[in-house]
Structures are given as structure tokens and as C-alpha cells.
Amino acid sequence: MHPLTISQALATAFRDIDRIDARLLLQHVLDADHAFLLTHPDRILTAQQSDEFSNLMQRRMEGVPVAYLTGERDFYDLTLKVNEAVLIPRPETELLVELALQLIPPDQSRRILDLGTGSGAIAITIAKHRPKCEVTAVDLSPAAIAVCQSNAQNLHIQNLQLVTGSWFDELSGEKFDLIVSNPPYVADNDPHLQQGDLRFEPAMALSAGDNGLSCIHQIINKAPDHLVNSGWLLLEHGYDQAAACGQLLQEKDFSNICSHPDLAGIMRVSGGQLNFLL
Ligand SMILES: C[S@@+](CC[C@H](N)C(=O)[O-])C[C@H]1O[C@@H](n2cnc3c(N)ncnc32)[C@H](O)[C@@H]1O
């Protein structure tokens, strides 16, 4: 194949894959940013760069998510390493982080728990923005915990403790001021699991029983044992699960129950406060 310039490589790629995907893959191969591509259209790719780009293009055409091909994804104000062991962090989840940060005064020390941390997107972002807080992050998958650990190290996060285990199982007697979670919430028979990026993501990060509510149910049931008085629980959930979450929170005597819309106006995060009768 003739040597290709940056603009020729992109023009070829645009015929087969999404433009942003093509750009991200070429940036990855060249270890460059978008501005470099724009300002160096005539730069010639080496044979090795051309081969690598063409391999990545091929795998993208087979459906492999861009984040798994580049090994990273931007989330909030961080760039996180990701691999096939973790869910690719979604922009919707930034809403959960924003709501959590609103509940934690910047100068205060609080105990915060993130259940099902995956890459650590939620736990690490909160830990970074609230350095006086102690954040605990739990995941059932040791491989996910390893990704979270490496992200925490790369980002110099000191106030994060990692726990491998199921939900609250390894946290006997521990209490938190705020519990957050983006648990699996897709119904096992949801056809979306066989489509797009979801086909390549870990089933244990996505599937949650017949109606998609089994993990949410387990978390809401046990959360009261692990919240201090006036502590909050915030959960991300599916587009049609806000009412069911509200109902479950009510059954466990949470107050100030509320749901919050994402940028598309879809209720994405629900939560409540636990006020003990003293
Ligand atoms: C939807 S992903 C969320 C990942 C990450 N928090 C995020 O928002 O990008 C759900 C995570 O829950 C974890 N998980 C599934 N079942 C679990 C369980 N019983 N206990 C703890 N974590 C679990 C999965 O391994 C996965 O990392």
C-alpha cells in the first residue's frame, strides 16, 4: 500500500466507520490529539502506523468498542484506563457524580461507598474532588478491581479503599454518609444486550435478572444497615425504572425521595435520605 497521509487515512476510514471513532483511533495510533490531526493533514504515516490503524479499523468494523481499542475513555474531568473487564463509563453517569458532589461539602470529611465500581469512574472522580473524604469502592469482579486500582494509582488518588466482594458482604458493621451505585440494571432478555457496544461489555456489569431490578433491589434492601442517620443513597437506573426505584426506597422508609433527569430529560438517578426515628 502507498504511504498514506493523515488526511488520506481519515478519508478512507470515514467511508467505513463513524468519523469520531476514526479520529480517536488515529489519535491513539499517533499518540496525538485532535488539534495535531487538524494541523498536520499532510504528515505521512509510517508503515507500522498504517498497519496498526488498519487493524484497529478492522476490529471497529467487527463491532469492538473504540474505548476497548484505545484502552481509555474520558469521564467527567478524568481519562480512565478501561479493558474488557469493565463497563465503559457513560456520560449519563456524570449526573450521579454531580449529584453526589452536591451532597458533600468540599471542606468536610465524609465516608462514601461506591457499589459496583468497575473502572472506578464514580469512586475515583468523587475521591479526587473531595480529597477530605474516605471513599470505599466495591466490585465482585477481581479483574474490575484491578482496573480501578490502576486508575487510582495513575491519577494519584490516596483516599480510596478497594474491596472485592458482593455489594455489602465484606462491609459488616461499616456505616457511610453517602452510598452511590450504578449497578447492572438491564433485564436479562433485553435485546439491546445483543446490539452495539453492549455485546462486548461484561454481562455481569449489565444484566440484572428478569426485570433488571434485582441488583437495585438488593442494594436498597441492605443500604439502611450501612447508612448513618441522615445518610443518602443515590442510584443510577434504566430509563423506565425511576418509579420502581422510588417505590423500593419508600418501602425501606427513605425520605426526600427524588429522581433526576439526564441531559436528554430521562429520569436516570433516584435516591433518598434515611432519617432514623431517635
Ligand atoms: C453498570 S457497571 C458500573 C461500573 C461503574 N461504576 C460505572 O459507572 O462505569 C456495574 C458493576 O457492578 C459490578 N457488580 C455486578 N454484580 C455485583 C455484585 N453482586 N457486587 C458488587 N459488584 C457487582 C460489575 O462487575 C460492574 O463493574
Side-chain angles (χ1 to χ4, degrees), residues 7-222:
S7 67
Q8 287 166 337
L10 284 176
T12 311
F14 289 164
R15 292 203 289 265
D16 294 316
I17 66 170
D18 175 87
R19 294 174 76 93
I20 294 178
D21 291 356
R23 176 161 70 63
L24 289 172
L25 292 179
L26 191 56
Q27 285 173 212
H28 173 71
V29 168
L30 300 179
D31 192 18
D33 59 13
H34 187 202
F36 183 89
L37 300 191
L38 291 173
T39 51
H40 297 78
D42 298 327
R43 171 69 58 94
I44 293 171
L45 273 59
T46 65
Q48 194 186 345
Q49 287 166 340
S50 280
D51 285 350
E52 194 186 344
F53 185 53
S54 131
N55 285 339
L56 290 174
M57 282 269 302
Q58 185 56 42
R59 292 178 64 205
R60 181 64 194 130
M61 283 191 275
E62 289 161 7
V64 181
V66 172
Y68 289 155
L69 295 173
T70 61
E72 62 184 30
R73 174 52 47 101
D74 288 345
F75 178 82
Y76 208 83
D77 57 351
L78 302 175
T79 298
L80 296 165
K81 299 282 175 207
V82 295
N83 64 26
E84 288 79 355
V86 297
L87 185 97
I88 299 163
R90 308 286 203 269
E92 300 91 275
T93 305
E94 294 177 355
L95 171 66
L96 177 60
V97 170
E98 271 163 23
L99 293 166
L101 292 175
Q102 283 169 22
L103 289 173
I104 317 162
D107 53 342
Q108 302 278 310
S109 138
R110 295 276 191 276
R111 290 201 77 201
I112 297 152
L113 173 63
D114 174 27
L115 292 172
T117 199
S119 64
I122 301 167
I124 289 175
T125 312
I126 294 176
K128 179 184 169 224
H129 286 268
R130 292 294 181 268
K132 293 196 171 159
C133 291
E134 269 176 61
V135 181
T136 301
V138 173
D139 207 288
L140 186 56
S141 156
I145 287 290
V147 174
C148 181
Q149 169 125 49
S150 123
N151 276 320
Q153 249 160 20
N154 292 342
L155 295 163
H156 311 291
I157 302 294
Q158 308 282 357
N159 52 334
L160 177 69
Q161 188 203 343
L162 301 181
V163 176
T164 307
S166 183
W167 306 136
F168 298 100
D169 284 1
E170 307 303 317
L171 302 172
S172 168
E174 298 211 38
K175 302 262 185 192
F176 299 88
D177 299 282
L178 170 63
I179 300 174
V180 291
S181 182
N182 172 21
Y185 54 70
V186 184
D188 290 345
N189 62 356
D190 189 318
H192 290 102
L193 290 172
Q194 312 310 326
Q195 296 165 17
D197 287 3
L198 269 58
R199 289 170 296 163
F200 295 84
E201 292 181 289
M204 70 180 288
L206 297 165
S207 300
D210 286 352
N211 59 4
L213 286 167
S214 70
C215 295
I216 287 176
H217 202 159
Q218 290 170 46
I219 291 171
I220 293 178
N221 264 342
K222 289 264 173 65

